[in-house]
Amino acid sequence: MMLRHVLPFVVSIPVFAFAACGGSTSPAPAQSTDGDDSGTGSSAVVDSGTTSTGPDPVDPTYPSKHPALPLVDFNGGSVLQAAHLIAITVDGDTMRTDLEKFSSIITTTKWWDAVRAGYCDSSGGCVGQGDAGDPVHLASTDFPTTSFTDSSQGGAATLQDFITSMISSGKFPAPTTDTLYAIYLPSDSYTVNLDGSTSCGEFGGYHNSYAYPGSASLDGGAGIPGATVQYALVPRCGSETETTLAASHEYIEAATDPHVGSGTAYYMRDQQWSIEGGEVGDLCVTQDNSDEYHESGFVVQRSWSNTAAKGSHDPCVPAPAGDIYFNVAPASEAFNLKVGAKKTIVLTAFSDAPTPDWTISGVDYAAQFEGTNTLQFDFDKTTVNNGTKVNLTITVLAAPPQDFQGEALFSIRSESGSTRQRWPGAVIVN
């Protein structure tokens, strides 16, 4: 699901499972290395809210031992091993040529090789390079309306009815296991309402799937009951850059989690990082455009890599050339407090190579997005380097806004020059 320049937690809280992705669940992976969630050399946080970190050396080993970066959970579903992209455009679309070129090459690029690496299913099949089928050109008269509904929850889905009609008439090629229909709407006059969310208002793109109706037929031939129709919907919310950025986001998410609503493959569940959405593209969306990457003349989005996260490298790949990843990892990402109470947690700074000192600060999401101050952050130091230990005391000033459903959401920001990293957390206010 592409959520850009809107509230980053437009998801169900506290479960953090966005409606467009469902299915089986699996336990969240351990959040620390060597079974130690307190961080290297730090004492455990006690109920009184006090802690002791002792001396503050800079560790010459890179990265310094720290609570581990999370991994996107594998939930048992299958992946697209060889995504077969079918670009679908509408006559009069001034971006048609570029979008068709983009769709024809994107799953064979270095960007794709970086974002797909390591995502395999239980059958041993992994997301590999893909290809493109012949593009489909639709006339505006092919559309019964310019306003569609869609659902991943079994609700009204006139868009799915439209896709089925295009398949049964032969205008769309029949779906295969790896087919992904890439539907590019030509202007903002074409709208989609997905389970109550509106295109270009609350989302910039999404992917979905449904079972092809057994009663339908293919161009006068036999029906294909049980076939799964997989598609990415990319509305026209702005420039070509915004369009390819949204499309790339949905393509890698569709490849790593193609069966929406059932048979979920890769989706981060019940971990604080998933407050911004649990799929691989969601986890790397930023508000400052640092998630953008240039590939073959197009702008695409960086995406979460479990492989990079395991190595304590920048989990959003491809990383910029010469990138040194740095961050601070909290001993506790989520805890319970009452209004007026406080708790001190230990942060461990780490980097994957030598780098200059960086600064840290706290970001209260309620203050940032709704103007309501719910948390106060008090650091015993704000300049850190690999191995630095920091005591952070978090005080609950007020109950979070109603939309936050009882959770005061925050992130700990690490910043050096124009580079920013974050580690999200939550206080459950009770």
Side-chain angles (χ1 to χ4, degrees), residues 55-352:
D56 183 35
V58 174
D59 192 343
T61 302
Y62 295 90
S64 184
K65 183 182 174 186
H66 60 280
L69 284 157
L71 305 181
V72 182
D73 301 310
F74 175 58
N75 299 279
S78 60
V79 299
L80 296 186
Q81 297 181 31
H84 184 62
L85 279 179
I86 308 294
I88 298 165
T89 60
V90 182
D91 290 346
D93 188 343
T94 58
M95 294 185 194
R96 170 180 278 172
T97 299
D98 285 347
L99 294 178
E100 289 180 351
K101 178 182 178 183
F102 172 75
S103 300
S104 71
I105 66 170
I106 197 59
T107 61
T108 62
T109 61
K110 291 182 179 179
W111 169 81
W112 184 259
D113 287 343
V115 298
R116 70 178 175 85
Y119 288 110
C120 304
D121 59 30
S122 56
S123 72
C126 302
V127 179
Q129 288 198 340
D131 61 13
D134 293 334
V136 174
H137 295 171
L138 296 179
S140 59
T141 53
D142 287 320
F143 290 86
T145 179
T146 58
S147 180
F148 293 92
T149 60
D150 201 2
S151 178
S152 63
Q153 304 172 352
T158 59
L159 182 64
Q160 293 176 16
D161 294 339
F162 171 71
I163 295 171
T164 296
S165 71
M166 292 292 100
I167 294 171
S168 63
S169 69
K171 290 189 175 182
F172 287 8
T176 67
T177 302
D178 286 313
T179 297
L180 180 65
Y181 299 113
I183 304 172
Y184 294 102
L185 299 181
S187 70
D188 60 8
S189 63
Y190 288 75
T191 61
V192 177
N193 185 293
L194 173 68
D195 293 317
S197 296
T198 305
S199 56
C200 299
E202 288 135 312
F203 64 83
Y206 66 91
H207 69 100
N208 205 355
S209 65
Y210 70 96
Y212 189 86
S215 59
S217 62
L218 291 176
D219 199 16
I224 48 172
T228 299
V229 178
Q230 299 148 166
Y231 60 97
L233 188 285
V234 185
R236 191 57 50 82
C237 301
S239 66
E240 182 174 297
T241 290
E242 292 173 295
T243 302
T244 58
L245 194 73
S248 63
H249 175 119
E250 300 308 328
Y251 294 165
I252 187 56
E253 288 189 344
T256 54
D257 186 25
H259 298 151
V260 174
S262 64
T264 300
Y266 284 94
Y267 192 94
M268 186 180 287
R269 298 184 181 278
D270 304 323
Q271 300 184 63
Q272 286 309 125
W273 287 77
S274 64
I275 62 176
E276 301 179 14
E279 290 188 299
V280 295
D282 299 329
L283 293 163
C284 290
V285 172
T286 67
Q287 303 300 310
D288 62 1
N289 300 326
S290 61
D291 54 353
E292 295 180 2
Y293 184 82
H294 292 265
E295 173 59 65
S296 302
F298 296 100
V299 177
V300 293
Q301 193 203 291
R302 298 165 65 196
S303 185
W304 188 276
S305 166
N306 277 352
T307 302
K310 287 177 183 178
S312 295
H313 303 303
D314 195 330
C316 294
V317 298
D323 176 61
I324 295 175
Y325 184 61
F326 59 88
N327 212 329
V328 288
S332 302
E333 294 178 336
F335 44 88
N336 295 274
L337 283 178
K338 298 182 181 298
V339 174
K342 64 179 64 177
K343 189 177 185 71
T344 300
I345 61 174
V346 177
L347 311 178
T348 302
F350 67 96
S351 61
D352 61 5

Side-chain angles (χ1 to χ4, degrees), residues 315-390:
C316 294
V317 298
D323 176 61
I324 295 175
Y325 184 61
F326 59 88
N327 212 329
V328 288
S332 302
E333 294 178 336
F335 44 88
N336 295 274
L337 283 178
K338 298 182 181 298
V339 174
K342 64 179 64 177
K343 189 177 185 71
T344 300
I345 61 174
V346 177
L347 311 178
T348 302
F350 67 96
S351 61
D352 61 5
T355 189
D357 290 348
W358 67 91
T359 60
I360 58 175
S361 59
V363 179
D364 178 354
Y365 280 13
Q368 184 175 16
F369 294 105
E370 297 201 9
T372 302
N373 292 310
T374 60
L375 300 174
Q376 177 178 309
F377 304 94
D378 293 300
F379 298 85
D380 68 350
K381 58 182 70 67
T382 57
T383 300
V384 300
N385 209 303
N386 185 62
T388 303
K389 299 294 188 299
V390 178

